[in-house]
Amino acid sequence: AAPSAPSTATTRLCFRRSPVPLPMARRILRLGAPIGALATGALAGASRKASSAAAPEHFDFLVIGGGSGGVASARRAAMYGKRVAIIERGPDRDQHGQRRGGGYGGTCVNVGCVPKKLMYTAAAHFEAAETAPGYGVEMGKPRLDWGALAAKRDAYVARLNGIYTRNLDNAGVTHVEGLARFVAPREVEVAGARYSADHVLIAVGGRPATPPIPGAEYCISSDGFFDLKAQPEKALVVGAGYIAVELAGILQALGSSVS
């Protein structure tokens, strides 16, 4: 299912002159160094769980959402010497076990491009085994251990989550885990703790849209594909966008019967 339009908010971002000379900043970017690697301050490497406080902790810039856009914005602001915090909900689930959050890196890292490419690579091995005899190579019929594949895929994603948080630490960005809600202009609450900022960026992304048709509640989205505990013998894919076509092809190559 195609993602719905992301939530957006307009805010004015005004940065003072960077403490890092611009030629040096450009050289850092060209070399691929972590954005904000030169940022200093008491917050460097800070990470915390939300905790209660009498008065809100104040920042120059507060980002809600730890996807690619939110993380990039937070690190860039830190590069310019701002006091920055980012709030990420994490991969929590509702009472029915449905995923509600992604985790650091957002859709692409957690339930999008990255895990999909790993599943695609497994499917490519199956296709190679099928065509190998045409090149004089006998490989036999491959067998898939879905549980092992899913475990290795999830471990790879977890490693990327760690890289994202380490990059935030290196940039001096405080990261808070939990669900944020606004309680006042430019002030949010996370598990009883309050945080305020001169500027707030909402970068929470979107979620797959389920069509309003009878029986839709029994279906899963592309997010749910990565929660499957076992390979389905049969699968019906509704839709013909690139996500639908990719997942249908992966399942078919791995041995599922797909319509």
Side-chain angles (χ1 to χ4, degrees):
S4 59
S7 303
T8 58
T10 302
T11 186
R12 184 180 178 187
L13 304 181
C14 300
F15 295 129
R16 297 172 187 166
R17 184 163 51 170
S18 168
V20 181
L22 287 179
M24 181 181 297
R26 294 192 186 100
R27 182 167 60 85
I28 293 171
L29 293 175
R30 285 198 302 269
L31 293 175
I35 295 175
L38 299 185
T40 59
L43 287 179
S47 175
R48 65 193 68 177
K49 292 283 186 179
S51 58
S52 60
E57 186 173 358
H58 190 77
F59 296 86
D60 298 316
F61 187 40
L62 179 64
V63 179
I64 303 174
S68 56
V71 170
S73 178
R75 293 174 64 196
R76 181 64 63 119
M79 175 182 176
Y80 284 94
K82 297 301 178 179
R83 191 168 188 259
V84 183
I86 188 169
I87 301 171
E88 166 55 35
R89 181 179 196 167
D92 67 333
R93 300 176 184 276
D94 63 18
Q95 66 273 23
H96 304 296
Q98 297 296 314
R99 184 190 297 264
R100 293 188 298 190
Y104 287 103
T107 296
C108 182
V109 169
N110 295 280
V111 287
C113 321
V114 172
K116 181 265 295 182
K117 288 176 181 175
L118 296 175
M119 301 298 287
Y120 175 87
T121 301
H125 284 297
F126 268 66
E127 291 184 335
E130 183 178 350
T131 59
Y135 296 90
V137 179
E138 296 295 336
M139 300 177 62
K141 184 176 178 60
R143 291 185 300 172
L144 175 65
D145 184 337
W146 182 278
L149 171 60
K152 292 178 182 296
R153 178 199 66 208
D154 294 346
Y156 185 86
V157 168
R159 185 178 72 84
L160 295 182
N161 295 149
I163 290 174
Y164 269 83
T165 56
R166 286 194 295 275
N167 283 342
L168 290 170
D169 290 340
N170 292 337
V173 175
T174 296
H175 41 103
V176 179
E177 297 176 6
L179 181 63
R181 68 181 185 93
F182 280 93
V183 294
R186 296 186 294 277
E187 183 177 332
V188 301
E189 183 180 79
V190 183
R194 295 197 174 191
Y195 305 90
S196 62
D198 296 335
H199 304 283
V200 179
L201 172 64
I202 301 175
V204 297
R207 66 184 60 182
T210 302
I213 57 177
E217 65 273 17
Y218 301 111
C219 302
I220 62 173
S221 68
S222 54
D223 289 358
F225 171 80
F226 299 106
D227 288 331
L228 290 173
K229 302 302 182 184
Q231 180 181 2
E233 294 183 7
K234 297 181 179 180
L236 171 64
V237 179
V238 180
Y242 75 92
I243 296 175
V245 171
E246 285 178 334
L247 298 187
I250 289 170
L251 286 170
Q252 181 75 25
L254 293 176
S256 298
S257 177
V258 182
S259 300

